[in-house]
């Protein structure tokens, strides 16, 4: 049976300490080429693909990390660019833009560390952000954070270069592929003409540069360059799963003078981010879709481990989020200014800023 979704039920999720500990969704995904298609995970310095051996011969690959998934969900709340259709979700959060002084602006919703990001510390929002973090540390009241950057409460933030305040993620998602085998690929770049024959350089220089990827001539595309045994993606023999969790225990830890309204506001935003259909184009060579043969369903997980299906329908969730935002009061939109002097001081760890560096 599926529990009927009402505003009262969602309010209870936000406030009842005996209520469910989490909401969970597991989606099975498929490569656009089909179940036997090759997909490309992200690559990382020194290790290449993030593939773990579970000890029984099974290998699991990280296809999209928790941080990457958060960065894909957060822009759901950005205001539309000029000429684009209006985004109704943008009204749910304050639109804070940081002017860089060259006619370019950056939305705080694009800042990877959100309210704890370097670009915030390097702007005239720095003082307000620091005060909001300190209020949270001293009193547990996250209301000021919510009026500046509510997505910092939804997707988490760590003010690691200043107050050390940590905000756990209420929503997290990750994509993993099970029982994978990494494969390789080779390629050969062939220039359209013989530049040595055109006397751009000598035949001797050409021979020295060919095959040397560090050669300026190779890097600029003037000579033949082979690429041998490079990473070529993974073949997935198991399943590709996207797991989405809404942590209701972390949510209920948010307090303050207006704690109930705050929790409901943050939960509304979290549910909107969690249920909104996601673009499956993760990177070149990795375009995924839902598996139509394996329908996904949300479940509420009790402390006992009991699971109950719940109907989280996007339209109903958006209606709740809108109501909760009006009840709490969305912070004002702001245009703030990037200050290079503050950025330079932050890089140096200038004691006059009152900030201290992270230990790691």
């Amino acid at each position: 049976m599926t529990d009927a979704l009402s505003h009262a039920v969602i309010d209870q999720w936000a406030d009842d300490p005996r209520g469910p500990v989490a909401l969970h969704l597991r989606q099975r995904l498929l490569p656009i080429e089909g179940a036997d298609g090759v997909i490309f995970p992200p690559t990382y310095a020194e290790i290449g693909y993030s593939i773990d051996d579970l000890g029984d011969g099974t290998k699991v690959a990280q296809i999209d990390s928790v941080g990457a998934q958060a960065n894909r969900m957060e822009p759901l709340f950005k205001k539309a660019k000029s000429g684009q259709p209006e985004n109704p979700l943008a009204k749910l959060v304050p639109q804070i833009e940081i002017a860089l002084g060259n006619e370019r602006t950056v939305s705080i919703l694009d800042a990877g560390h959100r309210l704890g990001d370097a670009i915030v510390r390097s702007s005239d929002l720095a003082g307000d952000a620091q005060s909001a973090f300190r209020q949270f540390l001293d009193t547990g009241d996250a209301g000021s954070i919510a009026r500046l950057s509510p997505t910092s409460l939804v997707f988490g933030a760590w003010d690691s270069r200043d107050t050390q305040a940590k905000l756990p993620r209420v929503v997290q998602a990750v994509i993993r592929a099970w029982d994978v085998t990494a494969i390789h690929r080779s390629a050969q770049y062939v220039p359209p003409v013989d530049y040595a024959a055109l006397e751009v350089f000598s035949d001797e220089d050409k021979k020295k540069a060919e095959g040397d990827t560090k050669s300026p001539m190779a890097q600029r595309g003037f000579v033949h360059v082979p690429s041998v045994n490079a990473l070529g993606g993974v073949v997935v023999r198991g399943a590709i799963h996207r797991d989405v969790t809404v942590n209701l225990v972390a949510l209920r830890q948010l307090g303050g003078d207006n704690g109930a309204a705050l929790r409901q506001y943050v939960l509304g935003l979290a549910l909107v981010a969690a249920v909104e259909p996601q673009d499956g184009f993760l990177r070149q060579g990795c375009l995924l879709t839902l598996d139509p043969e394996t329908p996904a369903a949300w479940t509420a997980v009790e402390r006992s481990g009991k699971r109950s299906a719940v109907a989280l329908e996007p339209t109903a969730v958006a209606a709740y989020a809108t109501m909760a935002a009006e009840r709490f009061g969305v912070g004002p939109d702001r245009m703030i200014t990037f200050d290079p002097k503050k950025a330079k001081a932050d890089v140096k760890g200038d004691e006059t800023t009152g900030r201290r560096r992270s230990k790691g």
Side-chain angles (χ1 to χ4, degrees):
M1 295 293 291
T2 300
D3 290 344
L5 184 67
S6 67
H7 289 190
V9 169
I10 302 177
D11 286 348
Q12 186 179 31
W13 289 343
D15 293 318
D16 185 358
R18 294 170 296 179
V21 297
L23 306 172
H24 176 253
L25 172 73
R26 169 165 288 179
Q27 297 170 314
R28 183 159 182 165
L29 307 178
L30 289 175
I32 197 71
E33 299 84 359
D36 57 353
V38 175
I39 62 172
F40 283 74
T43 56
Y44 299 92
E46 299 181 4
I47 66 169
Y49 297 147
S50 179
I51 298 178
D52 294 305
D53 190 326
L54 302 186
D56 61 356
T58 302
K59 294 183 178 181
V60 56
Q62 179 178 269
I63 304 302
D64 220 34
S65 68
V66 171
Q69 281 283 290
N71 290 339
R72 296 183 196 282
M73 290 187 279
E74 194 166 10
L76 290 169
F77 300 104
K78 281 178 62 175
K79 67 179 180 181
K81 295 180 179 179
S82 177
Q84 293 181 338
E86 183 179 356
N87 177 16
L89 299 181
K91 298 178 181 179
L92 299 178
V93 304
Q95 300 294 317
I96 296 182
E97 299 280 336
I98 303 166
L100 303 182
N102 57 358
E103 299 185 358
R104 183 187 169 200
T105 62
V106 173
S107 169
I108 195 173
L109 297 171
D110 288 326
H113 294 147
R114 301 173 187 90
L115 200 59
D117 200 90
I119 199 166
V120 174
R121 295 195 308 274
S122 304
S123 73
D124 48 17
L125 188 66
D128 290 346
Q130 186 184 66
S131 296
F133 278 129
R134 291 200 182 283
Q135 181 183 36
F136 174 72
L137 283 175
D138 295 342
T139 69
D141 189 341
S144 295
I145 294 175
R147 288 192 169 85
L148 289 175
S149 174
T151 55
S152 293
L153 301 172
V154 175
F155 301 110
W158 179 21
D159 190 27
S160 63
R161 298 298 192 269
D162 191 357
T163 66
Q164 303 297 310
K166 285 187 178 182
L167 304 171
R169 298 179 192 273
V170 173
V171 173
Q172 73 170 35
V174 66
I175 302 176
R176 296 187 180 94
W178 298 85
D179 194 6
V180 304
T181 300
I183 60 177
H184 297 82
R185 60 181 175 178
S186 298
Q188 173 77 41
Y189 172 73
V190 178
V193 297
D194 184 349
Y195 290 100
L198 296 175
E199 300 182 351
V200 176
F201 41 73
S202 67
D203 284 323
E204 183 179 355
D205 289 336
K206 173 184 171 181
K207 291 178 181 179
K208 290 180 180 178
E210 285 183 336
D212 180 4
T213 57
K214 295 182 180 180
S215 163
M217 285 186 284
Q219 293 176 349
R220 304 292 289 183
F222 286 99
V223 296
H224 292 83
V225 183
S227 175
V228 180
N229 210 32
L231 294 173
V234 297
V235 175
V236 184
R237 293 188 173 86
I240 305 171
H241 285 148
R242 178 176 184 253
D243 285 286
V244 185
T245 300
V246 179
N247 187 335
L248 298 176
V249 176
L251 172 75
R252 294 179 195 129
Q253 293 174 355
L254 301 176
D257 294 338
N258 201 15
L262 168 66
R263 289 187 291 274
Q264 292 157 15
Y265 174 48
V266 173
L267 179 55
L269 298 178
L271 293 177
V272 166
V275 304
E276 191 72 15
Q278 198 171 82
D279 187 346
F281 182 36
L282 304 183
R283 63 194 62 85
Q284 188 67 40
C286 192
L287 176 57
L288 306 176
T289 68
L290 294 173
D291 181 354
E293 302 299 323
T294 310
W298 280 95
T299 58
V301 185
E302 306 289 342
R303 294 180 186 277
S304 64
K306 178 182 176 183
R307 294 172 179 267
S308 303
V310 292
L312 286 179
E313 195 275 323
T315 302
V317 165
Y320 176 85
T322 300
M323 178 275 297
E326 292 173 352
R327 179 189 299 168
F328 177 73
V330 178
D333 295 348
R334 297 172 64 174
M335 177 65 75
I336 60 178
T337 305
F338 174 78
D339 186 344
K341 292 182 180 179
K342 288 184 178 180
K344 292 177 181 178
D346 193 66
V347 169
K348 295 178 180 179
D350 191 337
E351 294 181 358
T352 63
T353 64
R355 299 181 174 86
R356 55 183 181 273
R357 290 182 177 273
S358 167
K359 294 181 181 179

